[in-house]
Amino acid sequence: MTVLMLNRHTLSWAAGADGEYIPRPPGARCLITRTFGGGLNGFDPAAFPDVTVCDMLDPTRLEAIVAWAAATRSAEYIVALHEKDLLLAARVRARHGLPGPTEAETWPFRDKVAMKDRLRAAGYSSIPQYIDSSAFTTVGQLPWRGTQLVVKARRGLGASEVRIVPWSTSAVLAAHSELRLAAADCEIEEYIDAPMFHCDSVVEGGRITFASASRYLRNPGSFSTSDHLGNVTLRPNDPPRAELLEHNAKVIAALGLRNGVTHIEFFANEERGVVFCEAAARPGGGGIDECVRRTTGVNLVRAAVRLQAGETALDAPPVARPETVCGVIGLLSDEYPPSLEDELRRRVPGLVSYTATPAALPGGIRHATDYRHRVVITATSQEEFDHYRATTLATHQELVPAAVT
């Protein structure tokens, strides 16, 4: 019996450089992957002797390929970590009677209106005001007032399918057009002017067995106008960590996930307290998994793979490192020298990981984790991390112009 791995990420991120995240011997692994975006980076034929490569552009065709592989390889489990593949994997599991997250379990994490409807029905009230865009005719009918609105693709992927627009009917309609979606496929939401945070959790048997909280350096929606994004972990006594974890537990209970890894985003400030943003039933991207691993010892990607392969998520308890924070700084510049690593290692003692990545496609930054440089830093305090962050940005500004003249 085989574990079928559906991969849309850099392979080493999704399955380990040699496949070790999948708890089966190589002969019992089947890999479906793509070439675009590093989908074969780190591929080892000894670890994955059975591999199918496809472009993954046509979701109907991709689902047929996954169903074919599940049948012909006698798949026992299907593992899928990318947002685009969660419902597809659930449907194929149902078709072949395989265990794992179902379509009913996954849907509230994919549809942003269903997500908030489920929370509201469960009595969780700390959510932005929202409506299904198909019910929208004019801003005058909205049950709240403001100066800005948020228009989201209901089943969109992160900040790339979110538009923050002025308070006007024409702006909402223009956002629908820009997103290339019908009104029925969008949501209109109250704009919350507050910093953003996220909680990353492991859920087994409906019980949270691990959870961490982190702060975004800048809100992900600013990716098209910012020079950098990223996040930094919160220490046990850092506010508003305790409140975030309380809300995180309520959201997970209300959405009903039995087994999986979650990435749940919140707004928080003194005026509004903690306000839900949205939830995903997969590991956070953009280096979040590395930051969590370096501060707790928990590998969220490995935990997600193991749970979908029918194993326990954690084979060791989390490591308590209360005086350590870890953050990732993602530089969003279009231009970059081959590497900033040598100079950053000289100037930033806390640097633990560095990656330079060329653009996958020509043009500007495409989404909130489309980093040209990814710099991971550990520190003994938030203040020390902020100092290292300022040094990293200054180094980038100093070296990039010299590299492109």
Side-chain angles (χ1 to χ4, degrees):
M1 300 292 277
T2 299
V3 172
L4 192 161
M5 175 78 188
L6 177 58
N7 174 56
R8 202 184 287 259
H9 295 94
T10 300
L11 184 63
S12 59
W13 187 93
D18 59 2
E20 80 277 9
Y21 290 0
I22 299 176
R24 298 291 189 282
R29 302 171 186 157
C30 172
L31 175 68
I32 298 176
T33 190
R34 66 182 188 181
T35 56
F36 175 78
L40 281 170
N41 288 2
F43 173 70
D44 180 356
F48 295 101
D50 185 349
V51 59
T52 299
V53 179
C54 57
D55 59 27
M56 296 192 174
L57 296 176
D58 183 337
T60 302
R61 179 171 175 266
L62 177 60
E63 186 165 338
I65 291 170
V66 176
W68 162 79
T72 57
R73 273 64 172 181
S74 300
E76 182 182 18
Y77 294 95
I78 297 175
V79 174
L81 300 183
H82 196 284
E83 198 89 25
K84 289 182 178 179
D85 300 327
L86 299 181
L87 285 170
L88 181 158
R91 287 193 295 268
V92 176
R93 289 187 193 107
R95 189 181 311 174
H96 293 279
L98 302 179
T102 66
E103 193 169 2
E105 283 182 296
T106 305
W107 184 252
F109 288 90
R110 290 294 296 119
D111 185 292
K112 294 173 176 59
V113 172
M115 183 185 296
K116 295 180 183 69
D117 285 348
R118 178 74 66 88
L119 292 174
R120 188 168 58 184
Y124 179 79
S125 60
S126 192
I127 55 178
Q129 299 192 70
Y130 68 100
I131 67 166
D132 175 346
S133 281
S134 63
F136 174 80
T137 56
T138 173
V139 294
Q141 70 162 123
L142 294 175
W144 72 92
R145 292 291 178 267
T147 58
Q148 292 179 293
L149 290 165
V150 182
V151 181
K152 294 182 175 182
R154 288 180 60 161
R155 291 167 291 282
L157 304 177
S160 63
E161 295 185 277
V162 176
R163 299 293 182 271
I164 298 172
V165 302
W167 186 274
S168 76
T169 301
S170 61
V172 171
L173 298 178
H176 291 164
S177 177
E178 187 177 341
L179 290 168
R180 300 181 181 179
L181 292 171
D185 295 319
C186 293
E187 174 210 37
I188 300 171
E189 187 176 291
E190 174 189 11
Y191 175 72
I192 306 293
D193 186 12
M196 283 184 68
F197 299 80
H198 59 88
C199 294
D200 300 273
S201 306
V202 175
V203 183
E204 299 184 74
R207 185 174 66 89
I208 298 172
T209 56
F210 168 81
S212 70
S214 304
R215 168 177 59 91
Y216 282 117
L217 304 184
R218 292 177 170 176
N219 290 4
S222 67
F223 72 89
S224 61
T225 57
S226 295
D227 62 349
H228 75 287
L229 295 177
N231 70 98
V232 61
T233 56
L234 298 178
R235 293 173 301 175
N237 294 325
D238 287 338
R241 184 178 183 272
E243 292 81 3
L244 288 167
L245 293 178
E246 288 177 8
H247 282 261
N248 179 64
K250 292 176 182 177
V251 168
I252 289 172
L255 294 181
L257 185 69
R258 294 289 302 164
N259 294 285
V261 169
T262 60
H263 173 70
I264 302 181
E265 297 174 334
F266 298 93
F267 302 97
N269 63 13
E270 291 186 2
E271 179 183 355
R272 290 289 297 263
V274 175
V275 180
F276 174 78
C277 178
E278 57 187 58
R282 43 84 181 163
I288 288 170
D289 62 304
E290 182 173 356
C291 294
V292 171
R293 178 175 58 80
R294 289 185 180 275
T295 52
T296 68
V298 172
N299 186 323
L300 293 169
V301 177
R302 186 172 186 270
V305 171
R306 287 179 61 84
L307 282 171
Q308 291 189 41
E311 305 287 336
T312 57
L314 307 178
D315 47 17
V319 177
R321 297 183 179 128
E323 295 307 314
T324 300
V325 299
C326 183
V328 59
I329 301 167
L331 300 170
L332 297 168
S333 156
D334 286 341
E335 302 287 351
Y336 65 97
S339 176
L340 300 174
E341 184 171 9
D342 289 345
E343 191 61 25
L344 285 176
R345 287 197 181 277
R346 188 176 72 82
R347 299 184 185 187
V348 181
L351 188 149
V352 293
S353 175
Y354 170 88
T355 308
T357 305
L361 293 170
I365 300 300
R366 297 177 297 124
H367 53 76
T369 57
D370 194 12
Y371 301 154
R372 295 295 170 264
H373 306 267
R374 193 181 82 173
V375 183
V376 180
I377 293 169
T378 57
T380 57
S381 67
Q382 295 286 327
E383 293 75 19
E384 184 178 56
F385 174 82
D386 289 340
H387 170 70
Y388 289 154
R389 171 188 178 188
T391 302
T392 298
L393 297 177
T395 302
H396 180 241
Q397 292 169 0
E398 176 185 328
L399 296 184
V400 166
V404 299
T405 55

